[in-house]
Amino acid sequence: MVGSSSTKQGLSSWIGAATATRTTVEFDKNGAVSGGDSPSHSGNFTDVNLGFGEGAISAAGAAVLSAILVNPLDVAKTRLQAQAAGVPYDSLCNLGHLNSNTVLTGVKYNSSGTRAVLGAEPTCSPDSFRYKGTLDVFYKVIRQEGFTRLWRGTNASLTLAIPSVAIYLPLYDIFRNSMEEYTLRNIPIATPYVPLVAGSLARSIACITCYPVELARTRMQAFKDTKNGVKPPGVWKTLVGVVSPVNSVNGYQNSMQTYRLLWTGLGAQLARDVPFSAICWSTLEPVRRKLLGMVGDEASATTVFGANFSAGFVAGILAASATCPLDVARTRRQIENDPERALRMTTRQTLVEIWRDGGFKGFFAGVGPRVARAGPSVGIVVSFYEVVKYCLSHRHMHRQSEGADL
C-alpha cells in the first residue's frame, strides 16, 4: 500500500520535472538563479523511467489528435497564402479545376486587376472563387469541392506529425534536462535560456528528418482539384510530381539535383520553425511552471492538462504571430513548380518578393487561421504529452512504492 507521504513526494518530483526544474530553483526579476546547489535526480521519474520510446508514443498520440482537429484551419491558411502568392483561385470559372501541375509563373493580371491563367479569361465572377478570409475559405471549399476537402492533406499531416512530434518532444526533454544539469552546475545565469536552445535544436532535427512530407502536405492543401470521380494525389504521388518534371529540363538530369527538390524551402522552414520553437518554449516553460507551482503537491491529471494546455495555447499564439512572415515565405517556396526557379530561390529573395507583391500586409497573409490553428495545436500536443507522462510516472511511483513495502 502506498503511503500519502510517498505519493506527495512523488508528485512533487513529477512537477519539478514537468516544469523543467531539476532542483529548487527560483529566478529573480533579472533572470538570475537563486536557491538549490546542484541537480537532483532522485524522483525524476518522468525523464528517467519513461525513456525515449514511451515519450515518442505519447507525443505521437498527441500529434494524431491535433492533426485531425486543426487540419481545416491549416487548409484555410495555406489557401490564403497560396492565393497571395499567385495561385489563381479567382480565375477558374472556365477552367474547371486547378491541379498540382499549375505553375505559379504562368499567371498574369487582366485588365480588371484580377489574376488570370495565360490564354484564358474568366466567364463568371472572380468573387465566386477568390478567398476573402478564413470563413470564406471554409464556405467555398465545402460548396465547390465538398466537406471532406477541409481535411485535404490530413494523411500527410498524420504521416508527418507522428514521426516529427515523436522526435521533437522527447528530444526536447533530453536536451533540456542535460542542458539544465550542465548550466545549473557551471553557468547558472544561462539556465533560463535552456528551453529556447533545447526547443530550437530539437525542432531543427525533426524538421530536417521529415521535411519531404511537409512539402507534400503544403502542396496537397494549396492546389484544388474538382475533377469528378478522380481521387486527388496522395503523399507519394505528390512527391513524385515534384521530382518528375526535372527529367525533362535540360541541365537538371543529376539525381542529386532531382532529389534536392524534395527539400525545396527547407531554409525557409528552418527560418520559421527555429524561432517559433524558441519563442514557444521560452514562453511556455515559465507560464506552466507558474501554473503548476500554484497547484503545489495537489497535482492531478486534470490540473496537469489545464496548466499545460493554457501555457501551450498562449505560447502557440505568440510564436505563430511573430513568425507569420516566415511561414508565408515557406509556403511560397513550397508551392513553386518551376524546378529551376525552386532550386534558385532563397528565403531572403522570397521575402523581398512578398514585400514587392503585397507590401507589409503580404507578410501576414493567412495570419488569422495560422494563429487560430497554432494556439490549440500546441496546447493539445503539449498537454496530451504531459498528461500521458504524468500517468505513466504515477504508475512507476506506485510500483516502486509497492516494491519498497514488500
Side-chain angles (χ1 to χ4, degrees):
M1 186 173 179
V2 183
S4 60
S5 61
S6 174
T7 302
K8 283 191 174 184
Q9 182 181 3
L11 288 174
S12 299
S13 300
W14 182 86
I15 293 173
T19 56
T21 310
R22 284 180 167 272
T23 72
T24 306
V25 179
E26 295 179 356
F27 302 95
D28 62 25
K29 62 181 180 180
N30 297 317
V33 181
S34 62
D37 297 320
S38 62
S40 172
H41 297 276
S42 61
N44 194 353
F45 296 110
T46 51
D47 296 322
V48 174
N49 291 335
L50 292 189
F52 185 89
E54 287 179 306
I57 293 172
S58 303
V64 169
L65 180 63
S66 174
I68 294 173
L69 291 177
V70 303
N71 198 79
L73 288 167
D74 209 29
V75 170
K77 180 215 63 160
T78 303
R79 291 284 178 97
L80 290 170
Q81 291 179 348
Q83 178 176 261
V87 174
Y89 298 117
D90 56 343
S91 309
L92 305 178
C93 304
N94 64 337
L95 301 180
H97 69 279
L98 174 68
N99 58 36
S100 58
N101 294 320
T102 301
V103 187
L104 292 185
T105 51
V107 220
K108 69 175 183 179
Y109 287 97
N110 60 25
S111 57
S112 64
T114 58
R115 293 186 177 186
V117 177
L118 290 175
E121 292 296 331
T123 58
C124 60
S125 171
D127 287 343
S128 63
F129 283 89
R130 185 168 182 79
Y131 301 125
K132 300 175 183 177
T134 305
L135 295 179
D136 194 47
V137 174
F138 291 159
Y139 170 72
K140 287 174 179 173
V141 168
I142 292 172
R143 182 169 61 88
Q144 297 166 7
E145 304 171 57
F147 181 76
T148 58
R149 291 299 175 89
L150 288 176
W151 277 265
R152 179 84 172 106
T154 301
N155 55 342
S157 296
L158 295 176
T159 304
L160 170 71
I162 293 174
S164 178
V165 179
I167 293 170
Y168 179 33
L169 291 182
L171 278 183
Y172 170 74
D173 277 346
I174 292 170
F175 292 150
R176 182 201 65 199
N177 292 332
S178 60
M179 288 179 185
E180 280 188 340
E181 179 178 347
Y182 177 82
T183 57
L184 284 168
R185 287 179 175 174
N186 301 285
I187 323 172
I189 197 171
T191 302
Y193 306 102
V194 165
L196 184 151
V197 178
S200 299
L201 185 57
R203 184 59 193 166
S204 297
I205 294 173
C207 176
I208 294 170
T209 304
C210 306
Y211 185 77
V213 182
E214 175 74 36
L215 176 67
R217 179 179 69 164
T218 300
R219 296 176 73 90
M220 292 167 70
Q221 292 175 340
F223 300 108
K224 63 189 289 186
D225 193 331
T226 55
K227 289 181 179 178
N228 293 327
V230 178
K231 184 179 180 180
V235 177
W236 177 253
K237 286 187 177 181
T238 300
L239 292 177
V240 170
V242 172
V243 299
S244 59
V246 180
N247 296 325
S248 60
V249 179
N250 293 331
Y252 287 91
Q253 301 291 339
N254 187 285
S255 60
M256 290 297 292
Q257 289 281 63
T258 300
Y259 291 105
R260 182 183 156 200
L261 283 170
L262 296 178
W263 276 265
T264 298
L266 176 61
Q269 177 90 8
L270 289 173
R272 181 201 72 170
D273 282 3
V274 171
F276 181 96
S277 292
I279 296 169
C280 184
W281 288 111
S282 58
T283 303
L284 188 149
E285 289 289 6
V287 171
R288 72 172 174 184
R289 181 187 302 124
K290 181 70 173 178
L291 293 174
L292 287 170
M294 293 169 63
V295 175
D297 291 348
E298 304 301 322
S300 65
T302 302
T303 56
V304 169
F305 176 86
N308 281 279
F309 183 85
S310 300
F313 189 90
V314 172
I317 288 176
L318 291 176
S321 301
T323 58
C324 190
L326 293 164
D327 186 62
V328 175
R330 179 211 65 129
T331 300
R332 184 169 291 208
R333 291 197 63 191
Q334 288 181 335
I335 61 178
E336 175 58 58
N337 280 334
D338 183 345
E340 185 175 356
R341 176 175 160 80
L343 291 172
R344 192 176 64 247
M345 290 173 70
T346 66
T347 302
R348 181 180 176 279
Q349 290 171 343
T350 306
L351 290 170
V352 171
E353 186 179 277
I354 293 169
W355 174 266
R356 186 182 66 238
D357 291 347
F360 184 77
K361 184 179 179 181
F363 287 129
F364 292 91
V367 66
R370 172 167 166 75
V371 170
R373 173 195 181 280
S377 179
V378 174
I380 290 169
V381 170
V382 173
S383 58
F384 187 95
Y385 178 64
E386 292 296 336
V387 166
V388 172
K389 283 174 60 180
Y390 170 84
C391 294
L392 291 174
S393 76
H394 210 325
R395 184 186 65 184
H396 287 312
M397 286 186 288
H398 275 278
R399 287 180 177 176
Q400 291 187 1
S401 298
E402 289 172 355
D405 290 340
L406 291 177

